[in-house]
Amino acid sequence: MKKLNQWMLAAILTCGTMGMMLTSCSNDDNEVDPADDYDDHSSIVVGPGMEMPVDEFNILVQPIEGDPVVVRTLKAIDGVTDVKPFKTVERYDYLAKKVITKTAYSFNFRQLIDHNDPSKGWFKQQCMLSIAGTVGNSRPTVLHTEGYALEGEHNRLDFIGEPMLVSVLEANCLQVEHRYHGWSLPEGWTNDFHYLNVRQQSDDLHTIVTAIKQSGLIAASSKWVSTGVSKNGMTTAHYAYHYPGEMDAYVPFCAPFLLSIDDKSPYAYGLSKEAYGGDTEEMEKVKAAIRAYVGDKSLQAEVVNYAKQTNSFYAPYSDEEVRLAVLTILFDNYFNKMSYVDYAKWEYLVPKAGDSFEKFLNFIVADYNTKYDSEKEEEYKRRKETVEDLEPGSTGSLSPLPLTRAATVSRYPAYDVQVCIDLGGAGNDLSWVDDLLTPAEKQYLTRTNTPDFFGVTYDGGQFVREFFEGMKQSTCPMMFVYGLQDPWTGGQIPDEFLGPNSQKLFIHNGTHNDYIDKWNASERNQLFQWLKGLGFDL
């Protein structure tokens, strides 16, 4: 999940300027010339000055035969089009401890643009299904409530991973792309977002799940659980609020619920002793390092001088503009590291007052994409895969924009827009460095998108408050899972709004993921026993 909107500055500085420092970005060398044929997406409207993206999955990935019964059954569902069986790319299953490939089926679903007004017409919503066995099997089914695009590496579905609950339950898996992301565009490839809100997406999920349940693809006795991490987990929770009886269980991981477009609670939590497992000494060491840089203008000048000498990109920019950009990266990458990287992995990088500018620079640029000294290659690879699943487009490259397949900057990322409609977003907590910052620095570090910029109206946190009250009254079985290191845990649902069948599970040293295989035995047992009590076969 993106915290702020200055990702481009970070990518430029990290990739271009810091070549002699830690390697913390990758280049996209796999660009493909746009194809002329977009038959599967003919309903997409290209606005003025916009460019169609490349659909590598449909262009390059050849269909296989698959199970003819699955194909036939899918095609018989009213609203299903463009069924394509394919093989997924080999991916390591960390719970099963083996490399797996699957036969999966992509399809589009004719979805209403506006569930409140069918006369508005329909659009194609992209979905993906894997079957655990044969048609009509009674294995559990996991609904992955995707919050973004169904987008693997190179925008290809065959690279997509599945929630770890699929492995836990040996389950079928249905993945549904979030409206206005990827290829699921109610108003075409434009900057219009009239039907982007949590209710419309919940209705999308309800319509698709109902169709799949009625198709006979999966036995009527099959248990269903919806899940997702981060924004995907928010989508799970919103779906539970709107359709509390549709699933047998709802398990959102790391889902924050924010009450403004610059909610400070996640960042504040990421600076708390709770995020450091109660280790106040370690917390204060990191805070002291950040304060040392923020309060030392001569140290900042050394970093700026290095950046301008080693990267011609900065030539048109003033020293002050570059200095502010680096401050932004400092705060953004701290949040990024706490979200995705065990503190023990990067603790050695934390500088102290008086250290060289190189040491501070290494600390500033280090993020999820950095390989840390104590890490094994497989740990590094797994983290990158995880973040790229959760934040499509976050590969360190400048194109495409995150969270969408836009090939130019002409189309806004739909997540950023929805932050300004009904989701809310996170902002920097600067209260602990307030004495060191100038008014100009404070203004720069608290910049965020506004509803006016996108031409939308923010509800002022109304939906989130309604969601809280609805969850308090709901009897649906919910388990909210949060990592204790993860800053987004600061946006957890408050205890007073947990329904009678809802609970929280906190993961010791947990970060922003669903790494059930990394949990301790007590944590795993709490989840597994809860699922067994709901009738799931583990």
Side-chain angles (χ1 to χ4, degrees):
M1 176 180 293
K2 289 292 180 185
K3 185 181 72 67
L4 285 176
N5 203 30
Q6 285 89 8
W7 65 275
M8 184 178 288
L9 291 171
I12 293 169
L13 183 65
T14 305
C15 294
T17 305
M18 309 308 168
M20 64 175 288
M21 303 296 172
L22 285 169
T23 301
S24 59
C25 68
S26 59
N27 296 317
D28 185 2
D29 296 321
N30 300 290
E31 294 183 2
V32 177
D33 292 331
D36 294 325
D37 185 5
Y38 286 93
D39 289 344
D40 287 344
H41 309 292
S42 57
S43 63
I44 295 177
V45 178
V46 182
M50 298 182 193
E51 179 183 342
M52 281 296 298
V54 174
D55 184 352
E56 289 199 17
F57 173 70
N58 275 319
I59 295 171
L60 301 179
V61 179
Q62 295 301 310
I64 62 174
E65 181 179 356
D67 184 331
V69 181
V70 174
V71 173
R72 187 166 61 248
T73 305
L74 276 172
K75 288 183 175 181
I77 297 173
D78 185 28
V80 168
T81 64
D82 311 311
V83 177
K84 179 178 179 177
F86 64 96
K87 279 287 185 186
T88 61
V89 172
E90 288 187 349
R91 193 150 181 162
Y92 190 75
D93 184 321
Y94 290 90
L95 199 69
K97 294 183 170 53
K98 63 181 180 181
V99 174
I100 62 170
T101 59
K102 287 190 174 184
T103 295
Y105 303 83
S106 68
F107 62 94
N108 287 317
F109 191 88
R110 287 168 57 103
Q111 192 67 263
L112 289 174
I113 292 173
D114 181 359
H115 289 278
N116 300 311
D117 184 359
S119 70
K120 294 290 195 308
W122 55 270
F123 69 101
K124 289 182 176 182
Q125 189 162 32
Q126 184 169 241
C127 305
M128 177 173 160
L129 177 70
S130 63
I131 297 289
T134 58
V135 169
N137 75 81
S138 59
R139 294 304 308 159
T141 302
V142 171
L143 170 66
H144 184 206
T145 52
E146 177 64 66
Y148 304 120
L150 285 179
E151 179 182 38
E153 188 178 356
H154 314 309
N155 299 333
R156 282 169 46 170
L157 297 181
D158 51 330
F159 280 90
I160 288 178
E162 293 179 325
M164 189 161 275
L165 278 179
V166 176
S167 181
V168 168
L169 297 169
E170 298 178 8
N172 309 298
C173 183
L174 173 63
Q175 306 198 57
V176 180
E177 188 163 74
H178 197 292
R179 60 169 48 212
Y180 285 95
H181 293 273
W183 298 112
S184 303
L185 304 174
E187 297 176 271
W189 207 258
T190 71
N191 279 324
D192 296 322
F193 297 90
H194 295 109
Y195 311 103
L196 175 60
N197 57 63
V198 291
R199 179 68 208 221
Q200 293 282 0
Q201 178 64 12
S202 292
D203 289 346
D204 291 345
L205 293 169
H206 164 70
T207 305
I208 293 169
V209 167
T210 299
I212 295 295
K213 283 184 174 181
Q214 293 174 350
S215 70
L217 276 168
I218 298 157
S221 60
S222 175
K223 292 287 185 179
W224 284 69
V225 54
S226 61
T227 193
V229 180
S230 191
K231 169 65 158 47
N232 309 344
M234 295 165 67
T235 308
T236 297
H238 299 153
Y239 176 52
Y241 167 60
H242 290 121
Y243 292 96
E246 199 134 284
M247 297 282 112
D248 297 288
Y250 301 84
V251 188
F253 290 81
C254 314
F257 306 103
L258 307 173
L259 290 166
S260 72
I261 58 176
D262 61 346
D263 194 317
K264 306 295 192 297
S265 56
Y267 212 107
Y269 179 87
L271 293 159
S272 70
K273 66 179 182 180
E274 288 78 15
Y276 283 88
D279 193 331
T280 304
E281 183 178 346
E282 291 298 321
M283 175 193 72
E284 293 297 344
K285 182 170 74 172
V286 175
K287 284 186 172 183
I290 296 174
R291 283 182 58 85
Y293 183 83
V294 172
D296 191 336
K297 294 296 189 290
S298 63
L299 178 61
Q300 294 178 38
E302 287 186 89
V303 171
V304 170
N305 184 57
Y306 175 81
K308 299 196 80 170
Q309 284 186 354
T310 56
N311 192 332
S312 60
F313 170 85
Y314 291 101
Y317 298 97
S318 69
D319 288 359
E320 179 65 4
E321 287 172 319
V322 177
R323 188 183 70 82
L324 290 173
V326 177
L327 276 177
T328 296
I329 295 165
L330 168 67
F331 283 92
D332 280 6
N333 278 358
Y334 172 72
F335 193 97
N336 178 294
K337 288 191 285 284
M338 289 297 287
S339 296
Y340 293 111
V341 189
D342 292 344
Y343 171 69
K345 298 291 185 188
W346 54 269
E347 183 271 340
Y348 73 97
L349 288 175
V350 180
K352 59 183 184 298
D355 280 348
S356 66
F357 89 89
E358 289 94 345
K359 185 152 188 179
F360 275 90
L361 195 51
N362 270 323
F363 172 71
I364 291 169
V365 303
D367 63 3
Y368 88 85
N369 218 7
T370 301
K371 188 176 185 301
Y372 297 91
D373 287 353
S374 63
E375 280 192 308
K376 297 178 180 178
E377 186 64 33
E378 55 266 28
E379 293 177 311
Y380 173 58
K381 181 175 182 290
R382 183 183 190 183
R383 183 175 68 248
K384 289 190 65 177
E385 286 179 347
T386 299
V387 180
E388 287 162 11
D389 279 346
L390 295 179
E391 301 187 23
S394 281
T395 57
S397 61
L398 303 186
S399 180
L401 284 173
L403 318 183
T404 182
R405 290 185 174 90
T408 73
V409 296
S410 300
R411 178 174 163 79
Y412 306 133
Y415 167 72
D416 288 353
V417 179
Q418 197 174 0
V419 161
C420 296
I421 295 174
D422 57 8
L423 286 186
N428 286 328
D429 175 24
L430 303 174
S431 60
W432 60 289
V433 290
D434 188 74
D435 59 312
L436 301 175
L437 295 170
T438 67
E441 289 169 337
K442 292 176 190 176
Q443 182 179 13
Y444 192 90
L445 291 169
T446 54
R447 293 183 311 168
T448 189
N449 291 325
T450 65
D452 287 345
F453 177 78
F454 296 119
V456 298
T457 301
Y458 178 53
D459 71 358
Q462 178 181 340
F463 167 73
V464 176
R465 292 185 179 90
E466 290 175 355
F467 165 77
F468 285 162
E469 291 295 334
M471 285 290 95
K472 184 177 181 180
Q473 305 300 323
S474 177
T475 59
C476 69
M478 296 275 293
M479 180 172 281
F480 296 89
V481 182
Y482 292 103
L484 283 176
Q485 182 185 298
D486 182 14
W488 292 105
T489 296
Q492 66 185 275
I493 184 171
D495 290 348
E496 60 266 31
F497 295 114
L498 290 176
N501 294 324
S502 296
Q503 57 184 288
K504 294 180 188 175
L505 173 59
F506 293 99
I507 307 305
H508 182 68
N509 289 334
T511 50
H512 203 65
N513 55 56
D514 64 346
Y515 291 177
I516 297 172
D517 61 304
K518 293 289 189 182
W519 298 1
N520 63 42
S522 174
E523 292 159 353
R524 284 196 300 273
N525 187 61
Q526 187 173 337
L527 174 62
F528 294 172
Q529 291 303 315
W530 180 75
L531 288 169
K532 286 180 180 178
L534 295 171
F536 285 86
D537 178 21
L538 273 76

